[in-house]
Amino acid sequence: MQAIWRQVEQMRASGVLGQLVRFGIAGGISSVVYSLVYLPLTAYAFPPRQAVAAVPFAFAVAVVVGFFLHSRWSFKGHAKEPGAGRHVKFVIVQGSGLALNAVITWIGTALLHLHPWIPLIPAVFLAAIVTFVLNRFWVFN
């Protein structure tokens, strides 16, 4: 147990813990935005087994919100690369999140015939982990 507390203290001292909390809050907001676009599209625009078609639309809106939240709050002051290079890296990272999200949504809805909101939970959770690591170590250094 002491090892865990030492690790948490190291994370706090280095600023990673605060950054992780900010990322979680910003990611939560982006996830809500994603859900607010995705769920109505799956309810009214796309049949349940084709819910994956709603993913790019929802992700595009969430990426815009996420970029502003992460660049101005979660990772503020951490970017070593200004301008377009960072934007391109952010879009690539979000694209990996989009791909992961789409695969999970497709498996859940097309193959397992689940209701469209069910794959949303693991998709958002796993995409958050992957994008945090990539944003922290590649986009915002």
Side-chain angles (χ1 to χ4, degrees):
M1 190 66 167
Q2 287 180 342
I4 293 172
W5 285 115
R6 277 195 298 268
Q7 184 67 27
V8 169
E9 182 55 35
Q10 280 181 325
M11 288 174 66
R12 190 190 64 73
S14 70
V16 173
L17 184 61
Q19 191 174 59
L20 188 58
V21 169
R22 290 188 304 274
F23 182 87
I25 293 168
I29 292 168
S30 294
S31 296
V32 168
V33 168
Y34 176 90
S35 298
L36 290 173
V37 176
Y38 170 82
L39 290 172
L41 286 174
T42 62
Y44 302 110
F46 300 106
R49 290 189 184 169
Q50 295 175 354
V52 70
V55 170
F57 299 104
F59 222 86
V61 175
V63 163
V64 171
V65 171
F67 180 78
F68 286 106
L69 288 172
H70 292 310
S71 65
R72 297 196 175 159
W73 189 48
S74 301
F75 298 104
K76 183 179 181 180
H78 291 276
K80 294 179 183 175
E81 182 178 355
R86 185 178 44 167
H87 293 106
V88 169
K89 287 179 179 180
F90 187 81
V91 169
I92 291 169
V93 167
Q94 296 310 312
S96 71
L98 169 63
L100 181 61
N101 199 312
V103 166
I104 293 169
T105 301
W106 178 75
I107 290 169
T109 57
L111 296 181
L112 301 177
H113 308 293
L114 299 172
H115 191 279
W117 69 266
I118 294 173
L120 184 63
I121 296 165
V124 167
F125 179 73
L126 291 173
I129 293 169
V130 170
T131 58
F132 175 79
V133 170
L134 291 173
N135 275 313
R136 169 117 175 111
F137 294 107
W138 188 50
V139 178
F140 298 104
N141 298 329

